[in-house]
Amino acid sequence: MKQSSPSLSRRHFSLAAASTVLAACTTAGTQTASVPPPVTTAPPPPVAKPTRTIRVGLALGGGAARGFAHIGVIKALEARNVQIDFVAGTSAGSVVAALYASGMNGFALNKLALTMDEASISDWAMPFRTRGLLQGVALQTYLNTTLHDRPIEKMAKPLGVVATDLRTGQPILFQRGNTGIAVRASCSIPSIFEPVKIAGHEYVDGGLVSPVPASFARKMGADFVIAVDISARPETAATLSQFDVLMQTFTIMGQTIKTYELDKYADVVIRPNLNAMSSSDFTQRNAAILAGEEAAARIMPELERKLAAARLTA
């Protein structure tokens, strides 16, 4: 038998090996890498627009003894967790505003009102003092004592007190200084209280220029203003005394100013039913407080709806 030469066998082996290597390289070169299909994920849900914090201002109007109704309104707002960020007050409203801004809640105000001695805030001027029947110093002292002489800028809530410059007729918003003096100025009804001198200017009742200080609450930084109007309607107000006649005169004079200010600057207006109460009757303070609570409770659905809408659109 004819034997193949060793060299020929080696050549065949080499060719076979080379063919195998080439086949393997060709396969490796043309092989497509196995890539897992892309994972399809649902788009993230739309992020709800965060609601901006709405700064709420409370504007408390003037009305002498009817001002006790402001306390009832505050109690009702607190019961529904309506947070107040700024407080502005005119005349009687400035008294409640100062006490509330100091940190007193509605129940503390209620207790204080029912235990308040009217004589403690009344000081008759001497007969030879002809610019007012009352000096107003007693009111100033009462407030400063109750508030431990805390100035306006040190209150728990930002406080604004509105008064009228007697010489120029321009309004002023006190946001600093002696609280008692500012409130006394805001409450100085001409011919009833003597004008109050502060830094060379004389000031009288803020109700002459801003019966319900909604514009000043806005000026202080409020985005949403709750105004409390305790003034009597001219057609229903009692005019049994000289004081009642004077208050009726102020009410008539302030109608146009008040309507304009509330329409333009107030988001919600609370009007307690005080038709049966005279501005000089301090004996009905509990009835006034209840009237304030009832009025605020009636308007609460509207207030909460408007406040929620304001937060969404801010």
Side-chain angles (χ1 to χ4, degrees):
M1 177 179 290
K2 186 179 180 179
Q3 293 182 346
S4 59
S5 66
S7 60
L8 183 60
S9 297
R10 283 193 298 270
R11 188 179 303 117
H12 281 300
F13 175 79
S14 298
L15 288 175
S19 298
T20 303
V21 171
L22 286 175
C25 291
T26 303
T27 304
T30 59
Q31 186 176 1
T32 302
S34 177
V35 179
V39 177
T40 304
T41 58
V47 178
K49 180 183 177 182
T51 57
R52 186 170 68 87
T53 301
I54 293 292
R55 297 169 296 180
V56 180
L58 182 63
L60 305 180
R66 299 157 69 96
F68 290 105
H70 291 314
I71 297 173
V73 170
I74 289 170
K75 288 175 66 179
L77 293 175
E78 289 180 338
R80 299 300 290 266
N81 295 317
V82 178
Q83 300 298 317
I84 301 299
D85 301 292
F86 303 91
V87 194
T90 289
S91 197
S94 72
V95 178
V96 178
L99 295 169
Y100 178 50
S102 74
M104 291 187 183
N105 62 22
F107 288 99
L109 291 172
N110 198 142
K111 181 179 179 181
L112 185 66
L114 297 182
T115 57
M116 178 189 294
D117 180 9
E118 186 182 347
S120 66
I121 59 172
S122 302
D123 51 353
W124 295 95
M126 297 298 289
F128 56 84
R129 301 174 75 101
T130 59
R131 303 186 74 195
L133 299 175
L134 299 172
Q135 291 178 280
V137 176
L139 173 62
Q140 172 184 325
T141 302
Y142 174 82
L143 270 173
N144 281 338
T145 300
T146 304
L147 299 174
H148 306 291
D149 293 314
R150 191 186 308 183
I152 296 173
E153 67 272 17
K154 297 295 185 180
M155 294 297 176
K157 298 179 187 292
L159 169 66
V161 177
V162 181
T164 305
D165 189 309
L166 182 60
R167 185 178 65 84
T168 66
Q170 294 299 310
I172 182 170
L173 180 69
F174 290 106
Q175 292 183 275
R176 299 184 63 82
N178 187 298
T179 304
I181 292 178
V183 170
R184 174 188 167 195
S186 183
C187 293
S188 292
I189 303 168
S191 80
I192 300 296
F193 286 90
E194 292 185 335
V196 180
K197 183 171 286 188
I198 303 174
H201 292 257
E202 288 190 316
Y203 296 99
V204 292
D205 197 297
L208 295 173
V209 289
S210 183
V212 186
S215 63
F216 290 98
R218 190 79 67 177
K219 182 178 181 180
M220 291 172 67
D223 305 301
F224 188 95
V225 175
I226 302 169
V228 186
D229 178 13
I230 59 170
S231 62
R233 294 199 305 271
E235 65 274 14
T236 62
T239 54
L240 303 177
S241 67
Q242 182 180 359
F243 183 78
D244 288 339
V245 172
L246 183 61
M247 293 302 294
Q248 172 79 334
T249 304
F250 285 162
T251 298
I252 294 170
M253 290 190 303
Q255 284 296 301
T256 301
I257 299 172
K258 182 184 71 175
T259 300
Y260 170 80
E261 187 165 6
L262 292 180
D263 286 348
K264 185 171 183 179
Y265 297 105
D267 295 283
V268 172
V269 181
I270 301 174
R271 293 184 172 91
N273 183 2
L274 300 166
N275 294 337
M277 183 177 179
S278 166
S279 297
S280 59
D281 189 356
F282 282 80
T283 65
Q284 296 191 57
R285 61 189 74 179
N286 191 54
I289 293 171
L290 291 174
E293 287 189 71
E294 291 169 357
R298 284 195 303 270
I299 207 169
M300 196 60 69
E302 176 188 346
L303 190 159
E304 291 178 329
R305 184 178 68 254
K306 287 185 175 181
L307 191 53
R311 289 190 175 110
L312 288 174
T313 59

